Amino acid sequence: QVQLVESGGGLVQPGGSLRLSCAVSGSIFSIYHMAWYRQGSGKQRERVASITRGGGSDYTESVKGRFTISRDNAKNMVYLQMNSLKPEDTTVYYCNTEIGIWTWGQGTQVTVSS
């Protein structure tokens, strides 16, 4: 059974940075395209960044130029570097495959506030 454990969230001021981490266990991680998602209360889950097996990345328009997704296949880890954070980035962030096939983890809360 695949387990996803997200970490690295917290409280940061507008304009600040955070680096989220996602540890994946129980699967051949390197064969999957991966992604970071976020979901606010009462809202649909939104995919904000994705990364292919080979490292190619894509981003939703609202985070382009501010967020960077990366992966370490040797460590079964996916990362999301978030810079120039805005209050509207406040929500819970999750990782999963590009199409969300695994059971979702607990996520990590990101709060951007002064």
Side-chain angles (χ1 to χ4, degrees):
Q1 183 175 353
V2 177
Q3 186 176 17
L4 302 169
V5 179
E6 300 92 349
S7 62
L11 172 63
V12 63
Q13 292 186 343
S17 298
L18 284 173
R19 188 193 192 210
L20 306 185
S21 298
C22 172
V24 181
S25 61
S27 178
I28 307 173
F29 169 78
S30 61
I31 70 173
Y32 291 97
H33 304 318
M34 296 295 296
W36 280 95
Y37 301 78
R38 62 187 180 189
Q39 184 173 22
S41 178
K43 297 182 180 180
Q44 282 195 331
R45 188 172 281 132
E46 172 192 25
R47 191 174 72 190
V48 297
S50 61
I51 187 166
T52 67
R53 292 188 295 265
S57 59
D58 192 25
Y59 303 89
T60 193
E61 195 63 36
S62 62
V63 308
K64 280 183 180 177
R66 301 189 298 123
F67 290 10
T68 303
I69 189 171
S70 61
R71 66 190 295 163
D72 186 333
N73 288 339
K75 295 181 179 179
N76 281 21
M77 296 289 294
V78 186
Y79 306 99
L80 187 67
Q81 178 67 43
M82 305 189 296
N83 299 327
S84 303
L85 282 161
K86 304 176 181 180
E88 52 263 43
D89 295 319
T90 295
T91 189
V92 182
Y93 287 73
Y94 305 86
C95 69
N96 209 310
T97 67
E98 191 181 31
I99 57 173
I101 64 171
W102 293 328
T103 300
W104 296 90
Q106 297 288 334
T108 186
Q109 174 71 45
V110 171
T111 302
V112 185
S113 175
S114 55

